[in-house]
């Protein structure tokens, strides 16, 4: 029987576990989906919510077609609440105690039309201590007919008292070939583009889909790589000037440094004997291979570590310009490409 479960790419064991829980009527009252950003945690939680309230025969749930399935897909089911952290003025995603209180009030009211009342709490590591403690009460004594679905980057990011009350579903990054195959077959992406996106995605299908839809993501990456080339071929004076320019666009900097980091990781991988098909930046393969042969391993490792350090420093409110100057002076010089 075909069900909308089949629309989930990968994570087969998790799908089986959730489907069996419904078929055997052994649904837990709380689940915690963990894994890197964009790996598919919320997508899986939403699909589970559909399966729980689907109106089709149990073996065919979720059907994806019934009123309940369609309302959930549209984000308009009255018994499904999605709670996401709000981004604070400092740019930090924060789940506040007020959001938990409001949710608790909603959960206490009973269902409107579904079998289950379901709360999806995304990125729960963003919960303030007050919010986490308030939520603990709901976890300890959940109202009847309520299923709580949490997501987080890792179980360790939450209070042990919360993790221990949830069934933990740890999602792993998907194999690159699986993402490339899904992009080609299901999203009809041309082969070369599917390959590039799959390699850049680092096992996170959600990221690849976002990049597929929003061309500006890949365009921004091209700009980041061009800036890196400028840094590598620049003189000492030119690098100081570049550091000053970059320091003036603090909003774009974390993304720029993450692109650079992925480039240095690829270079390190090749320098230590990794295979070309293991790198992320497959469209820069020729250049990466050339540089990995020309530069000393030690210089590559230092550049990689300093990039990591600069990223950490920016996230911890260090002097941006100084951090960039130090970084660019560590980078080796590209003599004539
Ligand atoms: Zn349905």
């Amino acid at each position: 029987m075909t069900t909308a479960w089949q629309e989930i790419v990968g994570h087969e064991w998790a799908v089986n576990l959730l489907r069996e829980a419904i078929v055997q009527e052994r649904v837990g009252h709380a689940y915690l989906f963990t894994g890197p950003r964009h790996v598919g945690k919320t997508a899986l939680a939403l699909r589970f919510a559909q399966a729980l309230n689907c109106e089709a025969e149990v073996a065919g749930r979720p059907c994806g077609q019934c009123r309940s399935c369609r309302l959930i897909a549209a984000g308009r089911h009255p018994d499904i609440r999605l709670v996401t952290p709000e981004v604070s003025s400092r740019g930090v995603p924060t789940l506040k105690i007020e959001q938990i209180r409001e949710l608790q009030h909603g959960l206490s009211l009973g269902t409107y039309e579904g079998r289950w009342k379901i709360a999806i709490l995304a990125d729960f590591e963003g919960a303030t201590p007050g919010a986490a403690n308030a939520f603990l009460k709901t976890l300890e004594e959940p109202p009847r007919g309520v299923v709580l679905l949490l997501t987080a980057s890792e179980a360790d990011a939450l209070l042990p008292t919360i993790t221990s009350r949830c069934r933990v579903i740890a999602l792993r990054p998907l194999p690159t070939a699986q993402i490339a195959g899904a992009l080609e077959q299901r999203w009809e992406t041309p082969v070369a583009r599917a390959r590039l996106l799959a390699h850049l995605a680092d096992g996170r299908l959600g990221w690849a889909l976002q990049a597929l839809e929003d061309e500006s993501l890949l365009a921004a990456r091209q700009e980041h790589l061009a800036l890196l080339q400028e840094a590598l071929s620049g003189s000492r004076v030119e690098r100081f000037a570049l550091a000053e320019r970059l320091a003036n666009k603090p909003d774009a900097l974390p993304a720029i440094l993450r692109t650079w980091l992925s480039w240095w990781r690829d270079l390190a991988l090749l320098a230590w004997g990794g295979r070309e098909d293991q790198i992320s930046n497959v469209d820069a393969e020729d250049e990466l291979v050339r540089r990995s042969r020309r530069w000393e391993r030690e210089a590559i490792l230092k550049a990689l570590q300093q990039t990591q350090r600069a990223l950490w420093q920016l996230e911890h409110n260090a002097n941006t310009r100084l951090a960039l100057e130090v970084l660019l002076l560590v980078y080796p010089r590209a003599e004539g490409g």
Side-chain angles (χ1 to χ4, degrees), residues 231-233 239 264 267 295 299-300 303 328-334:
L232 295 176
S233 57
R239 289 180 186 205
W264 287 110
L267 200 54
W295 282 337
I300 294 171
L328 294 185
L329 290 183
V330 163
Y331 280 0
R333 181 93 194 262

Side-chain angles (χ1 to χ4, degrees), residues 28-33 41-42 45-46 48-50 52-53 72 77-84 95 99-100 102-108 111 116-124 135 138-139 142-143 145-151 166:
H29 74 264
Y31 292 82
L32 167 61
F33 298 87
K41 305 181 294 284
T42 308
L46 277 168
F48 187 41
Q50 278 185 322
L52 284 167
N53 273 342
I72 293 174
H77 196 296
D79 294 317
I80 313 292
R81 285 285 311 278
L82 177 64
V83 183
T84 52
L95 196 68
Q99 291 175 279
I100 298 296
E102 197 192 326
L103 174 71
Q104 285 169 327
H105 176 69
L107 293 179
S108 69
T111 60
W116 299 90
K117 198 148 200 155
I118 298 156
I120 301 175
L121 296 106
D123 303 323
F124 200 78
F135 183 69
T138 303
L139 261 184
V146 165
V147 179
L148 305 165
L149 307 177
L150 282 67
T151 78
C166 298

Side-chain angles (χ1 to χ4, degrees), residues 50 54-56 62-66 68-69:
Q50 278 185 322
C54 178
E55 294 154 18
C63 69
Q65 309 291 324
C66 69
S68 176
C69 280

Side-chain angles (χ1 to χ4, degrees), residues 239-260:
R239 289 180 186 205
F240 275 118
L242 179 61
E244 187 183 355
R245 243 167 67 212
L246 290 176
N248 285 329
K249 31 180 159 180
D251 292 344
L253 263 182
I256 292 172
L257 288 186
R258 272 193 288 273
T259 303
W260 292 6

Side-chain angles (χ1 to χ4, degrees), residues 279-335:
I279 64 174
S280 295
N281 299 281
V282 282
D283 55 344
E285 180 184 320
D286 291 347
E287 192 209 345
L288 286 163
V289 169
R290 206 170 61 239
R291 297 237 187 269
S292 72
R293 291 182 186 142
R294 198 166 298 174
W295 282 337
E296 299 287 334
R297 282 178 175 179
E298 197 186 333
I300 294 171
L301 192 60
K302 265 169 98 173
L304 171 64
Q305 287 170 337
Q306 194 62 41
T307 310
Q308 259 164 341
R309 199 168 298 144
L311 197 52
W312 187 91
Q313 286 169 332
L314 292 188
E315 284 163 358
H316 292 80
N317 301 318
N319 180 325
T320 305
R321 186 165 160 192
L322 184 64
L324 287 169
E325 283 175 358
V326 172
L327 175 66
L328 294 185
L329 290 183
V330 163
Y331 280 0
R333 181 93 194 262
E335 302 287 353

Side-chain angles (χ1 to χ4, degrees), residues 1-10 15 19 43-44 46-52 54 56-66 68-70 72-73 186-187:
M1 191 173 247
T2 61
T3 72
W5 277 128
Q6 281 145 358
E7 286 167 21
I8 299 275
V9 177
V15 166
R19 186 170 44 201
L44 190 57
L46 277 168
R47 201 59 77 179
F48 187 41
Q50 278 185 322
L52 284 167
C54 178
E57 288 290 311
V58 70
R61 291 178 200 160
C63 69
Q65 309 291 324
C66 69
S68 176
C69 280
R70 281 185 287 118
I72 293 174
R186 206 172 300 175
W187 283 275

